[in-house]
């Protein structure tokens, strides 16, 4: 064997080995370089709608002797936002991905969508180096591009066996070329990489089947994710601790499962000390079979994502603590598995919650609001927060109302609601405000207990919100987000959310904290 053939073989062996032993989440290296000419390989450029597609586009077009413009013209591609054109063999380029960005001004959200489109392409490509060219002069453009790329290239490969012998997909380098050069990389690492990692943390938990992540396992993965992050305290209530506090709400949901419930609190102190935290309270049903009010089989597998609220709340604190934000926040996750069995709670049972208030169970499938009673009570009593925001895959009714465009927002506080809506618009996780009509109280009257948990037709999402709101103290700013339609995207992904778990809420809460509290 010649020396170079030996080297080539050794290199191949290393690459193959790397493809097998790398952890499931390992992807392309993100690199940051100055904007400049790129003569070949795989590149991505934005295309503005209208007469001037942009300097990066022009540069690649000139280098390809006008082939890019001809290809774009032949395909009638106009550069509308949300469109893209994937072109093989343009001039000396192996592949040019043209991403439409519309005719609006560059915004963080637009840059993240552009990065996301490139990230999704990169995740499925074997090219060793992919370069995204952006000539705009916004100082943190490179950071937003990278953030979008990292979100867009998310994959969950834990349960796939390695394809031995095949070229590794989604490895190599993804180069962000902007005028900010390597400086963009510093901004990205400090400000956005922790948020992207937190979104991936939430997506992983949501994607994992109910058989793999149960309440204690959720806690274990949370401890792992927070290891080494400063100013964080994790507290976990087990069944005995919850019994001492009289938490019948969460205990009655968990009692049918062989895997006991947990209440998890993750407190991050980044403020000056003595600041009241914002409390994010998440519904964490690791699997929702409906319990004795069993769901029908059709699509029941989806209920593995019924802990998306808990993943988002915990993930948001991971993002905020990870970037060392100067604020105080706490996540409270109400973790339980809703199963039918001889020990399960029944329809008709009356449950006493930690607050002392009781409710009558009309349906064991309305379990989200049941676990949240004790979780919001605990958040208020334990942490004296300045606001409580709960997040839950609570009702099918919100999916009927808002589809997968908006999460439902219910709030007793117009300022908090407006801040959340603004944060959602900026982060690309949008909220539509829904009413909390006083008449919902009548729908929740029980003949034998303080309240009942369902069993009425009508404004399902609003009635659920009202039920949770009944456990909020007077004067406490509170918002409830029903994310049943947003936690999972079936097939059509978004640039920064490939199909599957979205991690909805992490970016929203991170943005809320940045804009309203830092
Ligand atoms: N987890 C479901 C809600 C859900 C539905 C989430 C679809 C995601 C997609 C929740 O626990 C539930 O079963 N809600 C019932 C409430 C009813 C029994 C009052 C519903 O929406 O039908
Ligand atoms: Mn349910
Ligand atoms: Zn549920």
């Amino acid at each position: 064997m010649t020396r170079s053939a030996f080297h080539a073989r050794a290199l191949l062996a290393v690459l193959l080995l790397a493809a097998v032993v790398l952890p499931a989440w390992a992807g392309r290296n993100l690199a940051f370089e100055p904007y400049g000419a790129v003569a070949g390989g795989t590149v991505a450029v934005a295309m503005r709608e209208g007469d001037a597609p942009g300097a990066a586009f022009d540069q690649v077009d000139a280098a390809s002797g006008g082939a890019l413009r001809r290809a774009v013209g032949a395909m009638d591609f106009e550069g509308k936002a949300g469109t893209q054109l994937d072109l093989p063999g343009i001039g000396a380029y192996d592949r040019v991905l043209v991403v439409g960005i519309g005719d609006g001004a560059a915004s963080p959200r637009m840059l993240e969508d552009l990065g996301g489109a490139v990230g999704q392409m990169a995740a499925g490509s074997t090219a060793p180096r992919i370069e995204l060219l952006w000539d705009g002069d916004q100082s943190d453009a490179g950071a937003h591009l990278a953030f979008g790329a990292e979100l867009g290239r998310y994959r969950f490969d834990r349960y796939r066996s390695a394809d031995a012998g095949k070229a590794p997909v989604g490895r190599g380098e993804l180069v962000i070329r902007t005028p900010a050069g390597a400086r963009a990389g510093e901004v990205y690492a400090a400000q956005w990489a922790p948020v992207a990692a937190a979104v991936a943390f939430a997506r992983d938990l949501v994607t994992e089947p109910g058989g793999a992540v149960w309440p204690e396992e959720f806690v274990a993965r949370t401890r792992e994710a927070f290891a080494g992050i400063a100013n964080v305290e994790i507290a976990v209530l087990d069944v005995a601790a919850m019994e001492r506090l009289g938490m019948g709400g969460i205990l009655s949901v968990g009692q049918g499962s062989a895997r006991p419930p947990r209440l998890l609190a993750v407190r991050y102190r980044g403020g000056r000390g003595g600041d009241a935290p914002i409390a994010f309270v998440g519904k964490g049903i690791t699997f929702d079979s409906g319990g004795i009010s069993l769901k029908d089989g059709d699509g029941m597998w989806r209920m593995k994502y019924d802990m998306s609220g808990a993943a988002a709340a915990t993930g948001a604190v991971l993002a905020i603590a990870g970037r060392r934000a100067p604020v105080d926040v706490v996540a409270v996750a109400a973790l339980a598995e809703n199963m039918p069995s001889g020990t399960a709670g029944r329809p008709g049972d009356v449950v006493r919650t930690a607050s002392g208030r009781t409710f009558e169970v009309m349906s064991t499938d309305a379990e989200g609001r049941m676990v949240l009673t004790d979780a919001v009570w605990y958040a208020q009593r334990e942490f004296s927060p300045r606001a409580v925001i709960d997040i839950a895959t609570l009702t099918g009714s919100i999916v009927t109302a808002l589809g997968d465009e908006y999460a439902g927002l219910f709030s007793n506080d117009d300022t908090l609601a407006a801040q959340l809506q603004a944060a959602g618009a900026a982060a690309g996780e949008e909220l539509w405000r829904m009413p909390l009509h006083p008449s919902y109280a009548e729908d929740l009257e029980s003949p034998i207990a303080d309240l009942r948990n369902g069993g009425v037709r009508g404004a399902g999402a609003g009635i659920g919100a009202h039920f949770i709101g009944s456990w909020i103290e007077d004067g406490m700013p509170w918002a409830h987000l029903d994310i049943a339609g947003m936690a999972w995207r079936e097939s059509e992904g978004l640039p920064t959310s490939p199909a599957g778990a979205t991690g909805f809420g992490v970016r929203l809460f991170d943005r809320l904290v940045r804009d309203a509290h830092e």
Side-chain angles (χ1 to χ4, degrees):
M1 202 183 323
T2 65
R3 204 186 162 95
S4 66
F6 173 78
H7 277 138
R9 281 211 185 178
L11 186 66
L12 189 68
V14 167
L15 283 175
L16 284 177
L17 193 67
V20 175
V21 300
L22 277 175
W25 41 263
R28 288 178 184 277
N29 270 332
L30 280 179
F32 296 81
E33 293 183 13
Y35 181 72
V38 176
T42 297
V43 296
V45 291
M47 178 175 160
R48 202 171 287 289
E49 216 177 333
D51 297 333
F57 181 99
D58 289 343
Q59 185 214 118
V60 172
D61 183 55
S64 65
L68 182 58
R69 242 172 224 279
R70 283 210 310 286
V72 160
M75 298 301 289
D76 293 322
F77 185 76
E78 293 171 324
K80 290 203 188 316
T83 63
Q84 61 184 60
L85 187 61
D86 198 351
L87 299 166
I90 297 291
Y93 299 96
D94 300 326
R95 181 177 183 183
V96 179
L97 179 71
V98 184
V99 183
I101 55 171
D103 54 11
S107 64
R109 201 171 150 181
M110 186 226 92
L111 292 161
E112 288 162 15
D113 282 349
L114 168 56
V118 180
Q120 292 206 21
M121 180 269 265
S125 164
T126 55
R129 185 175 165 91
I130 295 171
E131 300 184 71
L132 165 58
L133 310 176
W134 175 260
D135 54 283
D137 55 7
Q138 301 82 352
S139 63
D140 56 358
H144 285 288
L145 288 169
F147 182 48
E150 186 69 20
L151 293 168
R153 72 173 188 181
Y154 173 82
R155 292 168 57 118
F156 186 88
D157 289 331
R158 191 185 176 111
Y159 300 118
R160 287 185 208 280
S161 351
D163 254 339
K166 283 208 182 152
V169 175
R171 309 270 186 248
E173 256 186 337
L174 177 54
V175 184
I176 313 284
R177 284 187 176 270
T178 68
R183 204 157 41 81
E186 287 157 29
V187 176
Y188 174 69
Q191 286 301 316
W192 298 102
V195 187
V199 172
F201 162 79
R203 286 178 181 171
D204 283 353
L205 284 172
V206 171
T207 311
E208 284 281 19
V213 173
W214 57 96
E216 289 169 283
E217 180 63 16
F218 186 110
V219 169
R221 299 227 183 159
T222 298
R223 288 193 194 282
E224 221 172 90
F226 278 89
I229 297 182
N231 304 322
V232 171
E233 290 154 39
I234 297 180
V236 182
L237 303 189
D238 61 10
V239 169
M242 289 190 277
E243 277 170 351
R244 279 195 294 277
L245 291 167
M247 293 185 161
I250 182 167
L251 288 168
S252 67
V253 172
Q255 77 189 44
S257 171
R259 293 163 161 185
R262 292 287 184 269
L263 194 75
L264 163 71
V266 185
R267 176 81 164 89
Y268 166 67
R269 290 171 206 275
R272 273 171 296 247
D275 284 355
I278 305 168
F280 303 115
V281 181
K283 169 180 174 182
I285 303 300
T286 57
F287 186 72
D288 178 16
S289 68
I292 295 297
S293 313
L294 195 64
K295 290 179 181 295
D296 60 30
D298 196 27
M300 195 200 274
W301 66 270
R302 285 197 183 83
M303 289 301 114
K304 69 175 186 172
Y305 72 66
D306 214 20
M307 31 58 68
S308 296
T314 311
V317 173
L318 182 61
I320 291 160
R323 63 181 179 77
R324 301 166 170 274
V327 293
D328 275 78
V329 288
V330 61
V332 175
L335 303 165
E337 186 180 41
N338 188 22
M339 295 294 259
S341 78
T343 62
R346 309 154 191 80
D349 278 359
V350 172
V351 170
R352 188 178 296 280
T353 63
S355 70
R357 292 154 54 85
T358 59
F359 64 80
E360 182 185 7
V361 180
M362 303 309 285
S363 166
T364 63
D365 199 11
E367 83 298 337
R369 62 201 74 179
M370 296 167 65
V371 299
L372 286 170
T373 58
D374 289 329
V376 300
W377 173 84
Y378 183 77
Q380 293 170 99
R381 199 207 61 158
E382 196 66 21
F383 300 104
S384 307
R386 70 169 104 166
V388 173
I389 304 170
D390 80 78
I391 178 163
T393 46
L394 204 78
T395 66
S397 148
I398 201 69
V399 190
T400 307
L402 301 175
D404 61 7
E405 301 298 340
Y406 297 95
L409 161 65
F410 300 82
S411 182
N412 63 5
D413 186 290
D414 290 345
T415 308
L416 178 61
Q419 288 172 344
L420 276 162
Q421 279 190 293
E429 295 189 329
E430 298 213 52
L431 307 176
W432 193 270
R433 187 152 181 202
M434 305 286 284
L436 274 170
H437 198 277
S439 72
Y440 299 161
E442 293 153 31
D443 296 323
L444 293 171
E445 279 171 16
S446 161
I448 62 168
D450 296 334
L451 286 177
R452 63 183 188 182
N453 83 334
V456 275
R457 289 182 198 288
I463 292 168
H466 188 94
F467 184 90
I468 298 166
S470 309
W471 272 263
I472 298 293
E473 288 156 18
D474 285 345
M476 174 64 70
W478 161 69
H480 159 68
L481 308 184
D482 193 336
I483 60 165
M486 307 307 289
W488 189 271
R489 298 197 81 89
E490 211 57 47
S491 52
E492 283 275 293
L494 297 173
T496 55
S497 265
T502 60
F504 188 99
V506 175
R507 281 185 277 170
L508 168 72
F509 291 156
D510 175 67
R511 182 43 81 181
L512 174 80
V513 164
R514 282 179 202 259
D515 290 351
H517 298 284
E518 284 179 27

